[in-house]
Amino acid sequence: MKAMVCTKYGSPDVLQLKEVAKPAPKQDEVLVKVHAASLNAADLETLRGEFIVRIAAPRKPMYKILGSDIAGRVEAVGGNVKRFQPGDEVWGDLSFPHGLGALAEYVCASEEALAPKPAKMTFEEAATYPQAAIIALQSLRDKGQIQPGHKVLINGAGGGMGTFAVQIAKHFGAEVTGVDSTSKLGLLRSIGADQVMDYTHEDYTRSGQHYDLILDVAAHRSVFDYYRALSPEGIFMMVGGSLSTLLQVVFLGALISRIGSKKIGLNTWKPNKREDLALLGELFETGEVVPVIDKCYPLSEAAEAFRQLEAGHVKGKVVITM
């Protein structure tokens, strides 16, 4: 089978399209013929070998085939698999500890990492949801305690997770401000943002506005800047950004949250939570939460897809098709 192989950390140039052995499922695994995969910020971090990644794998990638979000069709099952059979259409998130491997024509995965794909979704649409939409949903609903009428700001709203977050926040009845670059503001309005802000001209932490919930996909400021932008009982959730801000959120954010009414923290999401995938499937059918796909690339052009993601040009998600 063909796979995009990564044997060392670096730029997208280190990726190589190779013929590799087709995997065979273990007793508790499912062999999936991959129809589509999508890229997330975490895939780019893994490719580069950023600090968090190197804690577990200091010298080279833990897995040679990257990619976590998949949608495809079951081709074979192990003897202990109970929930799937050949021919079933599935979607899922293969991020740690499930072994990655989405950027290939076939992948073996634990049945716990998969769920039945909604019938009305294409494989390309389904591949966009498993990580980005789940993190957005759990960050807003579970950690963010979103309520109707809340003023919610999403920074990085034009990217993969951000476009889902805008729509999910509107589903919960929030007033949404989307922050991103100039070229993405029209997109944000089209998916329901009530207000938009161009980060190249305005710093939302110094705008004088206060928010009940801030979801930041690209946090890189001091936690005290975020604290200033919160309403008296507001919540700031970091879901992506710089290492320095991450460390501030972990240590200073915990202290701030303990002694005051404002909360600053992170979301440790639960991947492949079946009831959450089911809810997202329902919201797709009603048209409330639909994926924004910038472009579909064939597997052979996955490196170019990574380059576009790295450059920040992607509106919504990029999808890799097999």
Side-chain angles (χ1 to χ4, degrees), residues 39-322:
L39 299 185
N40 296 291
D43 300 311
L44 189 56
E45 291 166 1
T46 302
L47 173 64
R48 290 169 171 167
E50 295 190 1
F51 177 78
I52 296 298
V53 175
R54 289 182 187 255
I55 292 175
R59 303 186 66 178
K60 61 182 181 180
M62 183 179 296
Y63 306 108
K64 291 183 179 180
I65 303 174
L66 306 183
S68 59
D69 283 356
I70 65 162
R73 185 174 282 109
V74 174
E75 181 155 301
V77 299
N80 295 335
V81 171
K82 306 297 183 185
R83 296 177 48 241
F84 299 105
Q85 59 186 6
D88 289 348
E89 295 182 351
V90 295
W91 58 346
D93 178 357
L94 306 186
S95 56
F96 185 84
H98 294 299
L100 305 183
L103 298 183
E105 292 179 317
Y106 293 88
V107 65
C108 285
S110 164
E111 66 175 328
E112 296 304 313
L114 302 171
K117 180 185 78 66
K120 292 185 179 179
M121 280 185 192
T122 66
F123 288 111
E124 291 80 7
E125 290 169 332
T128 66
Y129 279 85
Q131 187 173 123
I134 287 285
I135 295 176
L137 174 63
Q138 294 178 1
S139 297
L140 292 167
R141 182 195 61 196
D142 303 340
K143 293 290 186 177
Q145 301 171 30
I146 192 170
Q147 298 294 325
H150 270 182
K151 291 184 66 176
V152 175
L153 181 138
I154 298 161
N155 187 39
M161 190 188 308
T163 49
F164 280 121
V166 168
Q167 297 174 81
I168 292 169
K170 291 301 296 180
H171 164 72
F172 284 110
E175 178 187 326
V176 179
T177 298
V179 182
D180 216 302
S181 61
T182 310
S183 64
K184 299 181 182 180
L185 301 186
L187 166 64
L188 299 183
R189 293 187 184 96
S190 73
I191 60 174
D194 298 287
Q195 290 90 35
V196 297
M197 191 180 298
D198 186 340
Y199 78 80
T200 66
H201 294 103
E202 188 172 4
D203 179 350
Y204 79 82
T205 68
R206 299 184 182 278
S207 68
Q209 297 295 313
H210 297 93
Y211 300 92
D212 301 300
L213 173 58
I214 296 172
L215 186 66
D216 202 315
V217 180
H220 64 276
R221 299 177 177 85
S222 161
V223 293
F224 298 108
D225 290 333
Y226 301 123
Y227 183 89
R228 181 176 58 242
L230 290 172
S231 62
E233 295 186 351
I235 297 173
F236 172 83
M237 292 298 304
M238 178 181 177
V239 291
S242 70
L243 177 61
S244 61
T245 300
L246 172 65
L247 294 174
Q248 286 188 57
V249 168
V250 169
F251 295 106
L252 284 176
L255 177 62
I256 290 169
S257 300
R258 192 176 302 121
I259 64 177
S261 60
K262 298 181 182 183
K263 307 299 179 187
I264 294 177
L266 303 166
N267 178 31
T268 53
W269 90 103
K270 296 179 181 178
N272 302 314
K273 195 173 179 183
R274 294 192 185 101
E275 53 266 44
D276 287 348
L277 285 168
L279 172 60
L280 290 167
E282 292 171 7
L283 295 178
F284 171 83
E285 291 192 355
T286 62
E288 292 180 83
V289 178
V290 297
V292 175
I293 298 176
D294 185 290
K295 187 176 179 180
C296 292
Y297 293 82
L299 180 61
S300 60
E301 296 179 15
E304 179 58 25
F306 270 103
R307 290 186 193 98
Q308 293 301 311
L309 185 65
E310 188 174 43
H313 298 322
V314 174
K315 296 178 181 179
K317 298 277 290 186
V318 286
V319 172
I320 309 298
T321 58
M322 307 303 156

Side-chain angles (χ1 to χ4, degrees), residues 25-49:
K26 298 175 182 177
Q27 289 297 300
D28 60 347
E29 287 185 335
V30 174
L31 175 65
V32 179
K33 179 177 175 60
V34 181
H35 286 255
S38 74
L39 299 185
N40 296 291
D43 300 311
L44 189 56
E45 291 166 1
T46 302
L47 173 64
R48 290 169 171 167

